[in-house]
Amino acid sequence: MNRRIRVAVSGAGGRMGKEVIKLVLQDEGMELAAAIDRSSHGVDAGGLVGLGEAGVRVTDDLETALATAGADVLVDFTTPQAAYTNTSLAIKYGVRPVIGTTGFTPEQIGELDEQCKEQGIGGLIAPNFSIGAILLMRFAAQAAKYFPHLEIIEYHGDQKLDAPSGTAVKTAEMISEVRKEMKQGNPREEETIEGARGGYYNGFRIHSVRLPGIFAQEEVVFGDYGQTLKIRHDSYERAGYMPGVKLGIEKVMGYTGMIYGFDHFID
Ligand code: NAP
């Protein structure tokens, strides 16, 4: 039997970090090497996620954990401010980074790729670990070749700061790679209430709905004479990202260099 992958988790006390701890403790192919978090240090990582004693105390000292815990992989869901340093430190100690934290610049990704190559290890930075969301983007781009009239509607909780969502922007970009820029609708159309037709992107519209009770959903609606096609993905909770995180942890063991984007792992 193959050796289990030893996983360290930074941001262990955060909403995503806790889901990762649960994943690692419950997956037969992985074991928890270390859990790092500033606010919950000292407590048992299993207790932190309601699974009972795991025998791993949460620490606030990432560097010591990377140097001593024998981790193969570091999974990081923290903040853009912390994640670059955490990733670089992991690479320095030969621990493969699997990063869900968003906000890396292309320059930072390039630097981290160099560092991974120097160390001869793999790394992954994935701003979206949802397999369903990635498939939605692919299917939408495929459909846009045949149905160039479309609108995107995305739904998120009312506390989300940015609009449209990063996933909606990425969907629009992927559609625009295969669909020639073309203005839709009536050329004399006028809004009587500002914003009623949504945000304009290469001739089509993106609508952002913000309401309490919603987690993350996206729909791409295509229209043609006599028919419509709707492609929709609904996320209900953070656990939905974990199959993607698991695949990332397994894949990163097998290549060298930093890969950006989880879609590279989906055929
Ligand atoms: P969260 O609940 O606020 O958790 C953030 C964690 O980071 C906490 O454990 C926090 O611990 C820690 N942290 C904050 N500042 C830190 C610092 N300077 N140094 C070290 N640790 C620090 O956030 P979340 O919802 O889990 O999201 C975390 C990140 O994942 C965000 O960037 C989010 O956009 C991203 N995300 C990505 C995906 C994806 O599919 N890739 C999905 C969801 C979310 P302390 O407060 O104790 O420091």
Side-chain angles (χ1 to χ4, degrees):
M1 202 180 106
N2 287 340
R3 185 176 74 79
R4 293 199 287 173
I5 303 172
R6 289 182 57 77
V7 182
V9 181
S10 60
R15 288 167 294 186
M16 287 297 285
K18 282 184 180 151
E19 292 299 329
V20 179
I21 299 270
K22 283 190 217 163
L23 164 74
V24 173
L25 291 177
Q26 292 175 327
D27 192 289
E28 285 182 357
M30 301 178 199
E31 61 188 311
L32 188 64
I36 303 99
D37 193 67
R38 296 184 306 186
S39 332
S40 18
H41 75 103
V43 305
D44 182 85
L48 182 69
V49 299
L51 287 182
E53 285 276 311
V56 176
R57 295 257 153 236
V58 179
T59 172
D60 59 358
D61 184 351
L62 175 66
E63 181 149 16
T64 303
L66 289 168
T68 61
D72 300 302
V73 173
L74 172 75
V75 179
D76 182 286
F77 282 95
T78 58
T79 62
Q81 295 72 25
Y84 177 82
T85 315
N86 292 355
T87 309
S88 192
L89 210 50
I91 298 168
K92 177 179 155 191
Y93 285 97
V95 179
R96 300 158 188 83
V98 170
I99 311 298
T101 311
T102 48
F104 282 84
T105 64
E107 292 72 30
Q108 287 178 325
I109 294 166
E111 287 164 22
L112 293 166
D113 180 40
E114 285 302 312
Q115 294 170 24
C116 276
K117 285 177 179 150
E118 275 167 27
Q119 278 282 21
I121 60 170
L124 169 65
I125 297 174
N128 194 331
F129 271 109
S130 163
I131 294 173
I134 286 162
L135 289 177
L136 172 139
M137 291 185 233
R138 290 229 186 132
F139 296 156
Q142 208 177 351
K145 288 183 199 162
Y146 306 97
F147 290 89
H149 293 262
L150 63 108
E151 308 224 348
I152 298 176
I153 311 167
E154 55 94 349
Y155 308 75
H156 281 86
D158 63 340
Q159 296 308 304
K160 185 170 174 59
L161 292 172
D162 52 322
S165 69
T167 304
V169 174
K170 181 76 179 155
T171 309
E173 288 169 359
M174 285 175 66
I175 286 171
S176 299
E177 281 169 21
V178 296
R179 174 191 175 277
K180 267 199 261 162
E181 181 164 1
M182 177 196 76
K183 197 162 183 304
Q184 294 175 191
N186 191 325
R188 287 173 308 175
E189 174 183 87
E190 274 179 37
E191 285 181 338
T192 52
I193 297 178
E194 194 190 329
R197 291 288 293 116
Y200 181 92
Y201 189 97
N202 272 358
F204 59 88
R205 300 285 175 167
I206 307 179
H207 309 267
S208 297
V209 179
R210 296 289 176 265
L211 286 171
I214 295 177
F215 183 59
Q217 297 162 340
E218 184 173 310
E219 190 169 40
V220 187
V221 185
F222 298 89
D224 202 348
Y225 296 104
Q227 59 180 322
T228 59
L229 169 68
K230 293 178 185 171
I231 302 175
R232 180 178 170 108
H233 176 251
D234 299 282
S235 274
Y236 300 107
E237 51 175 315
R238 287 176 179 78
Y241 295 109
M242 292 307 119
V245 174
K246 174 177 157 68
L247 191 60
I249 291 169
E250 291 164 354
K251 292 278 186 188
V252 80
M253 298 296 292
Y255 61 87
T256 301
M258 182 65 82
I259 286 182
Y260 179 68
F262 181 66
D263 49 318
H264 288 91
F265 296 145
I266 298 182
D267 297 336

